[in-house]
Amino acid sequence: SLDRHLGGGFPAGGVSYISGVADAGKNLLLFKTFAMNQRLYGADSCISYAPTEGPVDYLFMRKCGYKVAIPQENIEQLQQSRKERGAPLLSKEEVKELSTGIGELVLNRAPTLEGVMETSLDLIRSNAFQIVAVDSISAAMPDAEADNEDFTKSTQQGVHAIGLKRFFQHLYPVLAPVEGEVNTTSILFTNQVVSNRKKTEAPSYLQQYIKEWAPAGSNAAKHGQLINLVLWSGAKERETTAGKKVVVGKTVNWETYKGKAGTHDNIVGTYDYLYDESPLRTNSKDLVSAALELGVFVEKHGKFTLTRADGQQHVSLKEIPGWEADRKSTRLNS
């Protein structure tokens, strides 16, 4: 449903932001996007990734469905950890699987904001990458901050805005068609949110209607982005195991603060994030709801009719080959 409301996903030839509070699921959505690119392009998948907040989480990438080759030193650390915990070591077959990737992942390890932006521009200019991602743009440290030895003085906010402004100024000519060639790079930035000053400045009777946070970023970023998708956590998903209710996931809320290239502003929705299952899995309830919204399913007297592209119809979900959903999973919520 998120893909549909974005007009097919994150657009090519421009910048999209995935913003959100801490633990909202920004990396989950970013890596799911990597995984879908890999499924579409196979061995031709080519992605650049700039991790500005810490080391690359290869295992979480794989859990999100993105089959990336884990470096040998990381696998050795994993083996050592399993040994210390008394867990069985990975077999040769498992090590081989973890060492194998599909397509190419190029890491952008420039140490400062300016370096990350300059390298990203070169990658975008090559038009060889389907995705150029920075995680996160708000955490990238400017040169002036890196050279500042006095921790009590911070210049980051001003120079960060200047760095982004210059990036977008240089980006527009890169994305502009030259002699018919169109740049098809999808540029994805994860981004933090900040305290919303408008809430504190608003009259008391209006404050309850204003969110406590707002996406961070300079004016250049606000004008240059095609989509700014904001995420925040919703209700916890629980299951009863051995007589106890256990948290197995959560609902992720999303809203398009800005929408271009196939979508609009202020569209809202949700999706489920289950911790112990592949996040690429879509549950049957979401599929049924989406199919009803699109008119693929028609519900009448508690039965669904499925209309296929070839005109064939099924009067019951149980008659669809391969459908093994039970009554509970196909129930529609009000």
Side-chain angles (χ1 to χ4, degrees), residues 157-173:
Q157 186 172 358
V159 294
H160 197 281
I162 294 173
L164 277 178
K165 180 179 180 180
R166 289 178 176 172
F167 168 76
F168 278 101
Q169 287 174 335
H170 286 84
L171 177 66
Y172 299 138

Side-chain angles (χ1 to χ4, degrees), residues 1-10 17-21 24-26 28-29 32 211 213 227-235 250-259 262-273 286 293:
S1 60
L2 175 59
D3 280 339
R4 291 189 292 105
H5 285 301
L6 294 184
F10 294 110
Y17 272 57
I18 303 174
S19 302
V21 299
K26 298 183 292 295
L28 168 75
L29 186 56
K32 282 180 67 174
K211 287 187 174 68
W213 41 262
I227 291 174
N228 191 351
L229 183 71
V230 181
L231 311 176
W232 67 99
S233 297
K250 65 182 179 182
T251 299
V252 177
N253 301 299
W254 59 266
E255 179 177 356
T256 54
Y257 263 51
K258 181 177 183 181
T263 188
H264 302 284
D265 303 347
N266 306 123
I267 302 175
V268 297
T270 64
Y271 56 84
D272 292 334
Y273 172 22
D286 291 339
E293 185 177 337

Side-chain angles (χ1 to χ4, degrees), residues 200-219:
T200 56
E201 296 171 355
S204 57
Y205 63 88
L206 289 178
Q207 289 185 4
Q208 60 178 318
Y209 303 107
I210 303 175
K211 287 187 174 68
E212 295 182 359
W213 41 262
S218 65
N219 287 328

